[in-house]
Amino acid sequence: MPEKEKKMIGFKCKKCDRINYPKRTRCLSCKGMEFEEVELGKECELVTYTQIYNPPAGYKGDPPLMLGMVKFPNGVLGMGQLAIDHPKDLKLGAKLRPIWGMLREIGGKEVFGFKFELAKKSKT
Amino acid sequence: MRDVVIIGCGMTKFARPLPGSLMDIASEASLKAIEDAGASDRDFDAVYFASMACGEFTHQAAVATALVDELGLIPAAAHRIENGPAAGATAIREAFLGIASGMYDLVLVTGAEKMSTVPSEVATDIISTMTHHEAEYIHGVTLPGLGAMLTRLYMARYGLTEDQLAAVAVKNHENGSKNPYAQLSHKKATIAGVKDSVMVADPLRLYHVCPVSDGAASLVLCSAEKAREFSSKAIKIAGLGQATDTHAVQEREDPMVLKAVQIAARQAFKMARLKPKDIDVAELHDAFEILEIVESEDAGFFPKGKGGKAAEEGKTALDGEIAINPSGGLKARGHALGATGAAQVVELVWQLRGEAGERQVKGAKNAFALNFGGFGDNAVVTILRRTK
């Protein structure tokens, strides 16, 4: 799948409808084992964030590492790096969207996943 | 179930670095505890060694077997307990279960970690491996990062002020300055100094965050009936509780509630037939100062949202309503992962025996320890009682 089309996926329990994210073997609410893949959303909002000045070994960017917790319209929360240029744009409630990218190295190998960028880029 | 008591304890100073190998510091703490118990000539039924990451930090596995050999305690049963930073309290709990069941009579519990063997960013990474691998770890989440995100949420909801947050650090450094075993015993803190310290993960600064530590702490546990053969200083393990919560912090109904702490505390209070107001002294898991505040609420000592104000008003000081972290806590005593839960209980045993020197909480009778793993996903509570 082209990277632009990658979607953040949650796992909706077929028994109780709870959307499990991240994926697990049995549903957290009802122990159901059958799930339907659902898109978490194209947009989300920033719930809380931090800028980490002492990132872990394996993170290849310059500190600080911006990290945030986001909430999708369906109530599901996620965590990830914030691809935001200006700390002034770090505001609780900021509208974000998931984008695919390189996160860090683990055991010398690059690991990819979703980060979050501003839904509307601010003018510099 | 048989009653179980602690008849001896000891620890090394926490430091970065602490001279000696992992086995050297584990042996030092163990021998102090064995001697304190008056059990130097005794055989032990079992030895539990708590370490979160001895493989990663010191390239050693099967460390419990090694410690039994080191201490001349063969053929005692040997177990390493790995339960994140809750390993220490978990090892005490396992030893308790072994004795209470009637399987064992005399057990040694030692927690030890040497974290100074690797550069800071590697230590940060090793610690981060306890987070949810796909949802947290691969994104570069660090434990201070999780603490920082919780702090920001909590400040927005409950109006916690920077001065209140700093008050916890100032109090813990003050207590730590009276503890010769504390890593930062030489460093006091002021509100202005905390607020001016270097940023680690905003809004958390250096003085809101525990240091990287080497250290070891040990306890000798025994059945109450057998304790009569030893010292008269036995302290009873009156209550235990342990509970888990979602591995990924984001999946909790309310990230500002430490549900595992609430459940573990409730279990321990029920078993001990005590209430939060009965506790005189507590050691809480303040890896970040926000945690001491939230834990003091979820353990039941203060209403939700009031923990910061309580600290600012001196209610958690040595002479307050409930003395929290008389040792200096993880903040000032230090946080040597697998050793921490054992060190918390060692401090409380000294408090209940009236042997805590300058930091003694007067007349302490009931004590509460909370040790947790991950970011609140595995909480272990131990309640101790002086029966004499």
Side-chain angles (χ1 to χ4, degrees), chain A residues 17-31:
Chain A
D17 286 348
R18 180 192 174 113
I19 299 172
N20 288 259
Y21 175 78
K23 190 179 186 180
R24 50 167 56 80
T25 303
R26 300 209 298 179
C27 174
L28 200 59
S29 296
C30 76
K31 302 183 181 65

Side-chain angles (χ1 to χ4, degrees), chain A residues 18-24 28 47-59 65 67-69 77-81 92 103-106 111-114, chain B residues 121-122 124-125 128 132-142 144-146 148-150 152-153 156 199-204 246-252 255:
Chain A
R18 180 192 174 113
I19 299 172
N20 288 259
Y21 175 78
K23 190 179 186 180
R24 50 167 56 80
L28 200 59
V47 174
T48 182
Y49 63 89
T50 185
Q51 301 182 77
I52 298 174
Y53 290 87
N54 309 85
Y59 174 70
L65 158 58
L67 208 67
M69 196 189 282
L77 289 140
M79 199 176 281
Q81 294 176 14
L92 300 184
L103 303 177
R104 64 177 292 181
E105 287 183 6
I106 299 175
V111 176
F112 289 75
F114 284 98
Chain B
E121 66 275 16
V122 175
T124 301
D125 184 48
S128 304
H132 192 291
H133 191 81
E134 287 79 20
E136 296 175 334
Y137 176 71
I138 66 168
H139 301 277
V141 169
T142 65
L146 291 173
M149 287 192 274
L150 171 68
R152 178 162 272 118
L153 274 176
M199 198 63 92
V200 171
D202 80 307
L204 294 186
T246 63
H247 193 182
V249 174
Q250 75 208 25
E251 269 200 290
R252 298 181 193 160

Side-chain angles (χ1 to χ4, degrees), chain A residues 1 3-13 18-24 35-44 70 72 74 76-79 98-100 113-116, chain B residues 132 134-135 139 250-251:
Chain A
M1 189 188 292
E3 291 188 357
K4 273 189 173 173
E5 290 171 29
K6 278 186 185 292
K7 294 170 183 169
M8 271 189 89
I9 299 295
F11 302 84
K12 189 174 176 181
C13 175
R18 180 192 174 113
I19 299 172
N20 288 259
Y21 175 78
K23 190 179 186 180
R24 50 167 56 80
F35 300 94
E36 175 195 347
E37 293 192 1
V38 294
E39 183 175 6
L40 290 178
K42 297 202 188 312
E43 219 173 270
C44 50
V70 302
F72 289 93
N74 57 15
V76 173
L77 289 140
M79 199 176 281
I99 50 158
W100 186 255
F114 284 98
K115 308 179 187 194
F116 302 95
Chain B
H132 192 291
E134 287 79 20
H139 301 277
Q250 75 208 25
E251 269 200 290

